[in-house]
Amino acid sequence: DIIRTIRDPEKPNTLEELEVVTESCVEVHEIGEDEYLVTIRFTPTVPHCSLATLIGLCLRIKLQRCLPFRHKLEIYISEGTHSTEEDINKQINDKERVAAAMENPNLREIVEQCVAEPD
């Protein structure tokens, strides 16, 4: 429910409407007392999607802000669905790269627009 309202950076649709994320792409496993591993596998609309990293960043930021429990978060592109999936997976799961990206005012503004709750 948390990620279904994230908007695509280029289109007026949500990631769910574009089938970039679906309920079946989310896994939650308990890894300790009151601690969970949340794994998201998203599917870009095209194998060369230039905004796949930005979509992964939006997923991470929204979940970090909204999950009501302690968690470890792993976000991946669905295997075989993007031409540079390995590089993007490294980027969106690297805390320092995520922090650096969110320090960029232009990038942060785009992320904020994508993760804002609809009126």
Side-chain angles (χ1 to χ4, degrees):
D1 287 344
I2 292 171
I3 62 174
R4 73 175 1 129
T5 59
I6 297 173
R7 284 190 284 290
D8 183 88
E10 288 184 315
K11 299 179 172 95
N13 306 80
T14 66
L15 297 182
E16 183 181 50
E17 290 168 343
L18 296 170
E19 296 182 353
V20 172
V21 295
T22 61
E23 193 169 331
S24 64
C25 79
V26 179
E27 294 178 16
V28 180
H29 300 282
E30 191 168 4
I31 56 175
E33 189 173 323
D34 296 325
E35 189 170 6
Y36 297 86
L37 169 61
V38 178
T39 305
I40 309 286
R41 297 189 186 281
F42 69 98
T43 304
T45 53
V46 291
H48 54 276
C49 176
S50 61
L51 297 175
T53 305
L54 181 57
I55 290 169
L57 182 61
C58 290
L59 290 166
R60 177 167 297 283
I61 296 302
K62 180 82 175 213
L63 286 164
Q64 284 177 339
R65 290 179 181 174
C66 297
L67 285 177
F69 48 80
R70 289 189 0 215
H71 60 278
K72 180 175 185 204
L73 187 55
E74 294 180 347
I75 299 174
Y76 303 105
I77 291 182
S78 299
E79 195 170 323
T81 63
H82 196 278
S83 55
T84 61
E85 72 185 65
E86 190 175 315
D87 292 335
I88 293 172
N89 288 340
K90 283 182 188 175
Q91 276 187 289
I92 58 181
N93 289 293
D94 183 316
K95 289 180 184 177
E96 291 176 8
R97 286 182 176 184
V98 169
M102 290 305 289
E103 288 177 11
N104 177 317
N106 296 327
L107 201 49
R108 185 174 57 244
E109 184 179 339
I110 294 168
V111 170
E112 294 297 346
Q113 290 172 0
C114 292
V115 301
E117 286 298 319
D119 295 332

